[in-house]
Amino acid sequence: MNLLRTKSIEQSIADADEPGRKLKRSLSTWDLMIMGVAVAVGAGIFSVGAKAAANFAGPAVTASFAIAAVTCALAIMCYAEFATAIPVAGSAYVFTYATMGELLAWIIGWNLILELFTAAAVIAKYWGIYLSKVFALTGLDIPPAISLGGVDLYWGAFLIVAIFTVLLVLGTKLSARVGNIFTLIKIAVVLFVIVVGFTYVKFENYTPFVPASEPTAGTGAADVLKQSFFGFLTGAAPAQYGTMGIFAGAALVFFAFIGFDVVATSAEEVKNPQKTLPRGIFGGLALVTLLYILVSLALTGMVSYTQLAEAKSPTLTTAFEAVGDTSAAKVIAFGSLVGLTTVIMVLLMGLSRVVLAMSRDGLLPRSLSKTSEKRSTPVRLQVICGAAVALVAGLTNVDLLEEMINIGTLSAFVVVSLGILVLRRKRPDLKPAFRVPFGKVLPVVSAVLCLYLMTNLAVETWIFFAFWLVIGLAIYFAYGQRHSRLNERFAEASASVNGTLAAGSSAATQHDDEDELSRT
């Protein structure tokens, strides 16, 4: 049992052209750039930015965003080099399979499923809650959840997931066009937030820019579980703010940048991927980073971070309500709804593409990788993913697992960053259209930064992550390892070699017997 066996790049590309399992190349640079912006603008600006400022970094949340952006940029450089060398669906899973072997590829694929599934479910639930807020602003009192037999059903999550599942089934290009429209609307809303927000800025709110570190209120086991894993390992008392708060904030707002590894999963559906992928990914990342930093400056300048901390779940709306601008709060509520809409679409697409790649390889049931002859989309798989996300978002308290999204993403970033070094050593003949500059330095820095941000996530997140890995390994050894197509190819090759050796041995024995008879 060879757990480190790798799948050749040529085989990955050949598998992507397998009849009945192919995806259509229809996306342009603009589509990719908008896709990255679509999943990032909304996930971060409308949810985690205010929370990071209130509970971790204060006004220095802008530094948190900058650290997260630099870390993401370094990792995305590695993704771009991989994606131009191996332009097929599956992202980090495929890249790891080609460099570090099947077992680690399974773990990364399993972590990507964690990231994308959890993110889609969390944001679908938030979408339903924001929809009720928009209704409330128009005078309609429609609760976000209805009770069915004592269970709260968040009906909005079912609605939005169903709509985008249908769009993705109908075609990637069609869903991209719909996403483009929504994305342009929410960029306009974000620009509105920035312009109006800066009219309320008071410079005293930026002081102190880095609040002094202070112990958290609790002292029990629950409080220890909420502290960063790094703080737990070093024996530090649970605290917030200070320099460590900036990095804890960066680990949290990293959620805002998950869109760019999702974009890499669409490599197989991109026209001219060698040029289109790097341009689309980096263009989107630059725009998103600029918007995030401007919004966080407006947010922390409008109200003190201590005022944000008093709110149970601080958001951009909290800041505008605090300065008495309820009309702007209404616009933000609408923008939040639109913003989260496209995030769900891209996450659902990314989830199905990762599962598609793993099922092509036999690590998950092969029947999941079949695509429609007419539309070249994985209809069955997309429906299964949509149904699972809708059920979890609509029926469970999935928002408790928000940080699981980040740890899944960062673990993939670490492996992809190191995988570039392995790829260059194993395949020096490859000439990808994009190469990470400065040789080995930037990939190593990327891996270290991502690993450090992982340690700034909460202890309970690491415990949940450990359980997830145990479940994944159990599935791999019970099913994936035995049904792996690469395993079948190794077995066939081994049988062929053994057969040849056996035939040679038999022929030699027969020749020796004939010699013995001739002598007698």
Side-chain angles (χ1 to χ4, degrees), residues 83-275:
T84 54
I86 318 174
V88 299
S91 185
Y93 159 74
V94 172
F95 307 154
T96 308
Y97 212 161
T99 53
M100 298 187 182
E102 184 174 280
L103 178 61
L104 193 55
W106 165 267
I107 292 173
I108 292 303
W110 187 241
N111 289 349
L112 287 175
I113 292 173
L114 168 70
E115 168 203 343
L116 298 169
F117 182 88
T118 308
V122 167
I123 294 182
K125 186 172 183 178
Y126 280 153
W127 187 91
I129 294 171
Y130 273 112
L131 181 62
S132 293
K133 289 183 179 180
V134 171
F135 281 141
L137 291 171
T138 61
L140 296 174
D141 185 18
I142 302 177
I146 56 177
S147 182
L148 292 177
V151 177
D152 287 336
L153 170 65
Y154 287 82
W155 58 271
F158 278 90
L159 176 64
I160 192 62
V161 171
I163 290 172
F164 277 111
T165 297
V166 171
L167 279 175
L168 289 166
V169 165
L170 292 177
T172 304
K173 186 66 177 179
L174 173 62
S175 54
R177 286 173 179 167
V178 174
N180 291 351
I181 296 170
F182 278 103
T183 301
L184 293 175
I185 293 172
K186 69 179 176 182
I187 288 176
V189 173
V190 170
L191 292 175
F192 168 84
V193 169
I194 293 169
V195 172
V196 176
F198 271 106
T199 65
Y200 295 106
V201 165
K202 295 179 181 178
F203 286 98
E204 57 265 29
N205 288 330
Y206 293 129
T207 306
F209 186 73
V210 182
S213 177
E214 58 184 62
T216 52
T219 56
D223 201 56
V224 171
L225 291 176
K226 295 291 183 184
Q227 79 173 125
S228 74
F229 189 56
F230 183 81
F232 175 78
L233 291 176
T234 56
Q240 60 185 148
Y241 307 127
T243 303
M244 294 303 295
I246 295 175
F247 284 97
L252 179 64
V253 302
F254 197 84
F255 173 65
F257 295 96
I258 63 170
F260 297 98
D261 72 316
V262 176
V263 171
T265 68
S266 65
E268 196 176 317
E269 296 164 271
V270 175
K271 293 181 287 188
N272 193 9
Q274 283 72 21
K275 292 183 178 179

Side-chain angles (χ1 to χ4, degrees), residues 2 15 18 39 105-106 185 197 211 231 243 254 264 297 316 318 351 360 428 472 495 511:
N2 185 2
D15 286 348
E18 183 181 349
V39 76
W106 165 267
I185 293 172
T243 303
F254 197 84
L297 282 172
L316 279 176
T318 306
L351 174 62
R360 269 182 186 159
H511 182 70

Side-chain angles (χ1 to χ4, degrees), residues 363-510:
L363 300 183
L364 291 172
R366 286 267 293 163
S367 58
L368 295 177
S369 62
K370 290 183 179 178
T371 56
S372 163
E373 291 184 12
K374 182 179 180 181
R375 303 186 185 279
S376 295
T377 57
V379 175
R380 180 189 304 174
L381 177 57
Q382 197 70 67
V383 170
I384 291 172
C385 290
V389 167
L391 286 171
V392 171
L395 297 173
T396 69
N397 198 14
V398 69
D399 43 312
L400 292 175
L401 301 178
E402 278 184 32
E403 285 196 3
M404 294 294 284
I405 303 165
N406 290 0
I407 201 166
T409 306
L410 286 165
S411 65
F413 278 18
V414 170
V415 174
V416 168
S417 299
L418 296 176
I420 281 296
L421 304 179
V422 179
L423 180 70
R424 290 176 180 176
R425 181 176 57 81
K426 293 180 68 173
R427 294 295 303 269
D429 57 303
L430 289 179
K431 305 295 180 184
F434 176 85
R435 279 181 72 91
V436 181
F438 302 109
K440 299 178 181 179
V441 176
L442 291 188
V444 171
V445 171
S446 172
V448 171
L449 275 174
C450 290
L451 188 60
Y452 180 64
L453 286 187
M454 284 179 71
T455 65
N456 278 276
L457 294 170
V459 172
E460 65 179 358
T461 300
W462 279 86
I463 294 173
F464 287 140
F465 186 54
F467 277 118
W468 178 258
L469 290 179
V470 169
I471 294 169
L473 289 172
I475 293 173
Y476 173 74
F477 287 111
Y479 181 90
Q481 191 275 330
R482 293 188 295 110
H483 292 84
S484 163
R485 295 188 74 201
L486 193 61
N487 183 43
E488 292 173 357
R489 292 186 183 113
F490 268 76
E492 290 171 1
S494 177
S496 176
V497 170
N498 290 337
T500 302
L501 291 174
S505 175
S506 176
T509 302
Q510 182 179 354

